[in-house]
Amino acid sequence: MLNTMLFCRTCTSEFTAKAATHLARRAHIEAVRLSPSLPPVQQNVMLNVAKQRLSAAMSAEVRELSAAGGIVNDRFLAEHLQLAEEVFVEMQYAFSIPRDNDSVRCAAHNYAVALEANGRASEAAEILWDNIGYEKQFGHVKMESIIIEVSRVMGKIGTPDKLRHAEVILRDHMPDTERVTATHRSADGENMPRDALDVVTMNCSVTLAEVLSKQNRHREAATLLHKALAIGTQAFGEDNAAVRYQRRCLADERRQWIHQACVGCMQFTGLLLGVTVAWYMTW
């Protein structure tokens, strides 16, 4: 959610999500241009791989903009949804790749990101929940990121049962940084370096704060965002887009907490005054 740079395995260069989307789009155009000269099987594989990479880059751009509080235009979102759905369906039915395969799980994740961005959070949560099931069944890695994603989507749905479920998931997988020094055993059973642990803690804290805020528990949300902001500032610096977004969220939660406390005090004062007047009238 907070990694704003994408890494190229071929040339070892780093790109922003927006630049990566541009490069992946150019590669997809070239794949479409060259595919007629290839045998049918190679043609289908080339096009699917190009679409996979473009879908992944677009998902990263959507997540980056969301983390920074930005807005994605409707045309981009519609294109992303269509592309991600095509990749997800093709891999399972055209290429007969099992659902638990790593590539299909990545395609499912990108499809879920697209669904959520297009306002179909319930469907996104179901797909991400399936991914968690395969992670547990086959012992694949990166469970923390998937747990955070599905909890965030469940929190976005906003129903009381989904909010409680999301809170339970996040609290169960929140790393105990007070008891960890060098490494942390992640949800998939692998040891996690301390810097990676800090990122997981930050992401968990931000997501849980969003869930608590929807339940009007602004004091708890502000506490978690303060913790996340401290980690993010140390890890990424003051000018990072996600850190700036956390700072805005923290300020908003503090305002709502103060407003909530003031309303509570006024209600208590009104109740106390009413009881006093009633006692005085009967005295």
Side-chain angles (χ1 to χ4, degrees):
M1 182 169 64
L2 299 172
N3 293 332
T4 58
M5 302 297 291
L6 299 182
F7 179 75
C8 176
R9 296 178 182 177
T10 304
C11 66
T12 70
S13 299
E14 288 185 335
F15 303 96
T16 63
K18 186 173 183 178
T21 300
H22 174 74
L23 293 171
R25 195 183 299 280
R26 295 301 308 170
H28 180 250
I29 291 171
E30 284 298 302
V32 171
R33 185 179 68 83
L34 295 172
S35 61
S37 63
L38 299 174
V41 174
Q42 293 182 19
Q43 181 182 109
N44 291 335
V45 171
M46 173 188 280
L47 289 173
N48 186 264
V49 169
K51 285 191 287 188
Q52 284 181 53
R53 291 174 178 171
L54 179 54
S55 175
M58 293 176 81
S59 294
E61 186 171 351
V62 168
R63 289 196 303 271
E64 181 182 279
L65 284 169
S66 298
I71 299 175
V72 188
N73 68 66
D74 293 340
R75 183 178 177 182
F76 184 94
L77 293 177
E79 179 190 5
H80 182 210
L81 179 60
Q82 180 181 353
L83 181 68
E85 185 175 12
E86 282 181 12
V87 172
F88 184 49
V89 171
E90 281 180 5
M91 294 182 79
Q92 292 183 92
Y93 299 105
F95 295 99
S96 300
I97 303 176
R99 177 65 175 84
D100 62 285
N101 182 273
D102 184 65
S103 297
V104 179
R105 287 186 292 105
C106 288
H109 177 83
N110 293 328
Y111 183 35
V113 171
L115 285 169
E116 185 202 350
N118 281 272
R120 295 162 62 180
S122 297
E123 295 171 74
E126 289 180 9
I127 290 174
L128 290 169
W129 196 253
D130 287 342
N131 266 13
I132 289 181
Y134 289 116
E135 294 281 348
K136 289 181 178 178
Q137 183 177 353
F138 296 98
H140 298 300
V141 298
K142 308 303 180 188
M143 276 217 48
E144 269 83 2
S145 60
I146 296 177
I147 288 166
I148 291 169
E149 287 283 354
V150 76
S151 299
R152 183 171 58 84
V153 173
M154 290 170 70
K156 193 168 184 178
I157 294 171
T159 57
D161 59 325
K162 296 295 185 184
L163 290 171
R164 286 194 296 270
H165 198 172
E167 182 183 352
V168 169
I169 291 173
L170 288 164
R171 289 196 186 280
D172 284 348
H173 293 87
M174 179 80 74
D176 186 356
T177 53
E178 300 300 324
R179 299 176 58 186
V180 177
T181 53
T183 60
H184 160 67
R185 187 163 294 277
S186 60
D188 51 43
E190 297 293 329
N191 284 334
M192 182 184 296
R194 182 57 192 253
D195 56 348
L197 167 66
D198 286 340
V199 173
V200 170
T201 303
M202 177 177 61
N203 290 343
C204 269
S205 299
V206 171
T207 307
L208 181 54
E210 292 175 1
V211 171
L212 294 175
S213 180
K214 287 181 179 290
Q215 301 177 69
N216 292 320
R217 294 159 63 182
H218 300 295
R219 180 177 182 177
E220 295 174 77
T223 301
L224 284 165
L225 285 169
H226 184 269
K227 175 182 179 181
L229 181 61
I231 297 173
T233 302
Q234 183 176 1
F236 301 107
E238 293 279 351
D239 294 330
N240 181 268
V243 173
R244 293 199 302 270
Y245 174 66
Q246 291 170 16
R247 193 176 294 111
R248 291 197 300 271
C249 289
L250 176 58
D252 185 55
E253 288 301 323
R254 281 175 171 167
R255 281 194 297 270
Q256 294 190 65
W257 171 24
I258 292 171
H259 173 74
Q260 198 174 50
C262 290
V263 170
C265 288
M266 291 173 65
Q267 289 174 341
F268 177 76
T269 302
L271 178 62
L272 184 61
L273 181 61
V275 171
T276 303
V277 171
W279 175 81
Y280 180 77
M281 294 291 290
T282 58
W283 179 62

